[in-house]
């Protein structure tokens, strides 16, 4: 227990009476009597009687309070030195001491005045007034210091009293002041530590990171300051102790007086107290600092937990929003990509959550005080991580099932489409012969063998396999595809029956007839798109062959007709009416419905404002055939010879097909993107069509080709008869239109030409050739190489320009290669010349430019093709010559 802390502060300290002490009318020299009684000396002081009572009492009280309780209890020895004074001074001193001395007295020694008269007076006076002094202790009157030595050892007396005790009053005051200051410093420091400790114990821990950091910083700073105060106090005590011990340190023969030894003990005791206080405070601070650090760890953990928990909750909410399982292979693949993206996005927060949970476990293992708060949060973090992982796996499983399901449905649908394509690609005119019919039957039988690979499994087994993901929409789609399979199988059955009849060598020739809608123009087959692997959107080859072999109208060879013109006219009119009705159904059932407010929400965003791209100039074609062409050919029923004039008269009007065919690649690309939309399915359902829209959008391409077939049949029936010339001219007109359409399809694929091809005049011819070049101004080696190495070039002949291009083929979206023509060179027709035969090769011709500075040797694939091109080029050159003339 700290004595100084437990005792009340003494009423007086040296600094309070510093002036009175410096007057030195009473001193505590440090000497002791034989029994250890402290000695207080009242040296000779001229104005002793004039000292105020308060000052006297304060000094005496302070001096009696300095010795230890043990020494003070023995009683004080008072030495009054009045050798140079009078009896009156002795009397006054005894009277004041007797009346105001606060301690126990043992003996009073008076060194009487040395002058004879005053000594005699003192002897008489002491006898007369002894009782008046009211002292219960002996008063011993001494004549000299040698008499005093008989009572007190000289080592306990100062030099003024004939002793050997070293005493310096100023030093004594300095030591007393320093000891009392140090004691006050110790007490103040202890109180500061106690107050700080109380504040720490009563401080409530903050609930957030910032306040906790601020509190920890504040307490640490305060602790550092207090530690500095402690260091200063210890340093002060050590310095004081050194000062007190200085005489002994300076001389080995010196000894400290009992009072000085008590001073040493006091300072040492204060230093020990200071050390104990510091140790106790350090123990408390260590615990408190640990608690603050753990509190900060907890607040950081809680803050990180809230952030990670919020991120994980958002992640789980996003994951919960992925309820869609897809309605097509593309959609499911996109969903799988989105799920993969979400999984990748979740990796970082999941890793943070796992790391935070591990950090929480470490806090628990380190005996954190808030274990009950940390452990549930660690459990919660791991639970959410497990939930996300398990839910992700579940999503992948479901989407994987969905992908497998839609791939099966697509395979079945593709088989149907491939079947329909096969039926459509079998040219009707080739099936009229026995050999052609048998070939077609073999094709069908080979195709039907592949049915098991692509058709759906047993519906019951299929539903059991995919029961977990079968939504009403998917189930309806599966049922629709099953129905499509049945419909296609029925189409094959009917085609086989018809072909078997043709293969039986019938006597009547077979004539193709356009298929009639099953019930009305507003019916067609289930939605069909051609297989991607068999589709060609390039249009960059002869249109006649293109249509006949790829997209001829799907249908069965239902009847045989004679080759009479009447039958042909009837067939033309019948198919024309069906054609017009089909165009009408497309415009009313699809194009107009895109403006229907009730169906707007079903239209895909990719199709918005793109009606003209999808349908091209189909309304213009419908208007022409419905209002004009159908009526004109209906007038030919009674007069078949007028048919040729209809085509000749409408030569320019039929050019509208060129614009339609040029737009067809864009239309088909848009259809591939949006053809699976609910909007088209709804329109198809309303029209009761079995064929999807893309099959009907092919009708104009098929129709323009059908005319030349019918005109050829008319020519066969009217050979060497009247009107043959007109029919031949009409056929040439239709073939010219088809060629123009075909050429324009190539023209739109030209790339890299910086000018405007529309300014080059009419496109007359186009085709691929081997080309050699010879430049007169070129390097010899270059010229030699040029002569012997042909280049593959595609030529476009316009009335004003001849273009040289390089044909390139690229895969587009997984479909067949699409041709494009990269521009390489051009020759103005006004500056070219032509040589018909080159070095005896009848397939080669030569075009030269600018007076033969550039020569192009061109090799055609046949003599006929070469002659056609030469003829066309000569027409251009002749026309230019005539224009100049």
């Amino acid at each position: 227990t700290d004595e100084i802390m437990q005792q009340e502060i003494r009423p007086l300290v040296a600094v309070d009476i510093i002036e009175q002490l410096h007057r030195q009318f009473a001193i505590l020299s440090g000497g002791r009597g034989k029994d250890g009684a402290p000695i207080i000396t009242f040296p000779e002081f001229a104005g002793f009687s004039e000292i105020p009572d308060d000052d006297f009492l304060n000094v005496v009280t302070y001096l009696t309070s300095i010795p230890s309780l043990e020494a003070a209890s023995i009683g004080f020895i008072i030495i009054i030195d009045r050798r140079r004074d009078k009896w009156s001074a002795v009397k006054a001193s005894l009277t004041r001491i007797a009346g105001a001395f606060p301690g126990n007295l043992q003996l009073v020694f008076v060194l009487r005045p040395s002058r004879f008269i005053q000594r005699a007076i003192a002897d008489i006076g002491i006898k007369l007034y002894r009782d008046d002094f009211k002292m219960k202790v002996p008063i011993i009157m001494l004549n000299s210091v040698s008499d005093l030595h008989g009572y007190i050892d000289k080592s306990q007396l100062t030099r003024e009293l004939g002793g050997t005790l070293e005493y310096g009053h100023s030093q004594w005051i300095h030591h007393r002041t320093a000891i009392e200051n140090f004691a006050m410093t110790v007490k103040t420091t202890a109180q500061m530590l106690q107050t700080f400790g109380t504040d720490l114990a009563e401080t409530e821990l903050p609930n957030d990171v910032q306040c906790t950091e601020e509190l920890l910083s504040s307490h640490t700073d305060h602790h550092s300051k207090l530690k500095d105060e402690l260091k200063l106090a210890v340093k002060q005590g050590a310095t004081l102790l050194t000062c007190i011990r200085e005489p002994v340190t300076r001389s080995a023969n010196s000894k400290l007086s009992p009072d000085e030894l008590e001073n040493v003990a006091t300072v040492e005791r204060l230093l020990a107290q200071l050390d104990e206080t510091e140790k106790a405070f350090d123990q408390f601070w260590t615990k408190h600092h640990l608690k603050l650090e753990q509190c900060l760890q907890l607040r950081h953990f809680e803050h990180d937990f809230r952030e990670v928990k919020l991120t994980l909750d958002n992640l789980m909410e996003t994951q919960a929003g992925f309820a869609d399982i897809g309605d097509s292979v593309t959609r499911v693949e996109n969903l799988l990509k989105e799920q993969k993206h979400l999984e990748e996005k979740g990796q970082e927060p999941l890793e943070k959550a796992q790391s935070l949970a591990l950090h929480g476990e470490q806090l628990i293992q380190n005996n954190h005080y808030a274990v009950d708060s940390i452990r549930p949060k660690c459990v919660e973090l791991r639970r959410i991580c497990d939930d996300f992982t398990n839910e992700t796996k579940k999503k992948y499983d479901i989407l994987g099932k969905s992908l497998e399901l839609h791939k099966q449905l697509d395979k079945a649908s593709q088989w149907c489409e491939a079947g329909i394509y096969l039926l459509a690609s079998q040219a009707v005119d080739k099936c009229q012969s026995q050999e052609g019919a048998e070939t077609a039957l073999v094709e069908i039988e080979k195709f039907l063998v592949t049915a098991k690979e692509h058709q759906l499994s047993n519906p019951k087994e299929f539903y059991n396999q995919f029961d977990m993901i079968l939504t009403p929409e998917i189930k309806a789609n599966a049922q629709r595809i099953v129905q499509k399979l049945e419909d296609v199988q029925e189409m094959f059955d009917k085609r086989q029956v018809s072909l078997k009849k043709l293969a039986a060598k019938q006597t009547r020739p077979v004539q193709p007839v356009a298929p009639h809608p099953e019930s009305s123009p507003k019916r067609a087959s289930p939605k069909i798109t051609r297989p991607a692997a068999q589709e060609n959107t390039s249009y960059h080859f002869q249109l006649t062959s293109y249509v006949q072999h790829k997209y001829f109208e799907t249908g069965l060879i239902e009847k045989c007709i004679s080759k009479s013109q009447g039958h042909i006219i009837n067939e033309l009119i019948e198919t024309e009416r069906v054609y017009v009705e089909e165009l009408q159904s497309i415009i009313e059932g699809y194009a107009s419905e895109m403006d229907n407010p009730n169906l707007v929400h079903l239209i895909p965003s990719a199709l918005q404002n793109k009606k003209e791209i999808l349908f091209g100039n189909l309304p213009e074609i419908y208007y022409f055939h419905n209002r004009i062409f159908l009526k004109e050919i209906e007038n030919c029923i009674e007069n078949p010879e007028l048919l040729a004039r209809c085509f000749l008269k409408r030569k320019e009007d039929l050019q509208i097909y060129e614009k339609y065919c040029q737009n067809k690649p864009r239309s088909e690309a848009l259809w591939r993107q949006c053809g699976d939309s609910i909007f088209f399915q709804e329109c198809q359902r309303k029209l009761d069509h079995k064929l999807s829209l893309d099959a009907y959008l092919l009708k104009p391409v098929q129709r323009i080709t059908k005319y030349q077939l019918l005109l050829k049949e008319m020519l066969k029936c009217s050979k060497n008869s009247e009107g043959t010339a007109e029919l031949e001219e009409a056929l040439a007109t239709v073939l010219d239109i088809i060629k123009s359409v075909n050429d324009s399809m190539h023209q739109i694929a030209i790339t890299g030409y910086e000018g405007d091809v529309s300014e080059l005049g009419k496109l007359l011819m186009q085709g691929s050739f081997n080309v050699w070049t010879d430049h007169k101004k070129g390097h010899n080696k270059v010229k030699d190489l040029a002569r012997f190495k042909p280049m593959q070039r595609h030529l476009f002949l316009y009335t004003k320009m001849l273009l040289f291009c390089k044909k390139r083929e690229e895969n587009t979206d997984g479909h067949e290669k699409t041709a494009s023509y990269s521009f390489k060179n051009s020759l103005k027709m006004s500056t070219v010349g032509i040589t018909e035969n080159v070095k005896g090769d009848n397939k080669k011709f030569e075009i030269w430019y600018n007076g033969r500075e550039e020569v192009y040797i061109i090799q055609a694939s046949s003599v006929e093709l070469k002659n056609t091109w030469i003829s066309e080029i000569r027409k251009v050159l002749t026309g230019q010559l005539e224009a100049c003339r």
Side-chain angles (χ1 to χ4, degrees), residues 359-459:
H359 177 58
E361 294 294 343
Q362 290 173 346
L363 293 179
I364 293 173
Q365 291 174 7
N366 292 335
N367 299 318
H368 197 283
Y369 71 85
V371 171
D372 293 340
S373 174
I374 296 172
R375 181 172 283 116
K377 292 180 175 61
C378 295
V379 173
E380 176 71 3
L381 289 172
R382 290 204 167 96
R383 181 193 65 78
I384 297 177
C385 291
D386 292 342
D387 288 350
F388 180 80
T389 303
N390 294 335
E391 192 63 24
T392 299
K393 185 177 182 302
K394 183 178 177 182
K395 293 284 185 185
Y396 276 128
D397 292 342
I398 292 175
L399 289 174
K401 276 283 185 184
S402 179
L403 184 63
E404 181 184 354
L405 162 67
H406 288 297
K407 282 184 176 179
Q408 288 194 25
L409 292 177
D410 282 359
K411 283 184 180 179
S413 181
Q414 288 169 7
W415 185 87
C416 294
E417 292 162 2
I420 294 171
Y421 170 80
L422 175 63
L423 294 175
S425 65
Q426 290 182 334
V428 178
D429 53 346
K430 292 184 179 179
C431 295
Q432 295 181 31
S433 65
Q434 180 182 3
E435 183 180 354
E438 289 175 349
T439 301
L441 277 171
V442 171
E443 289 177 350
I444 291 173
E445 288 170 359
K446 284 183 179 179
F447 180 78
L448 290 177
V449 171
T450 65
K452 293 181 180 179
E453 300 175 9
H454 302 294
Q455 293 185 59
L456 293 178
S457 57
N458 180 279

Side-chain angles (χ1 to χ4, degrees), residues 203 226 277 338 403 448 485 551 557 737 779 868:
T203 300
L226 287 176
T277 303
E338 291 176 8
L403 184 63
L448 290 177
L485 286 168
Y551 293 114
I557 303 173
I737 292 171
H779 192 276
T868 302

Side-chain angles (χ1 to χ4, degrees), residues 565-577:
Q565 288 186 348
H567 280 94
I568 296 172
I569 291 293
N570 287 336
E571 180 187 354
L572 174 59
I573 294 172
E574 181 183 356
T575 55
E576 186 73 12
R577 287 170 179 165

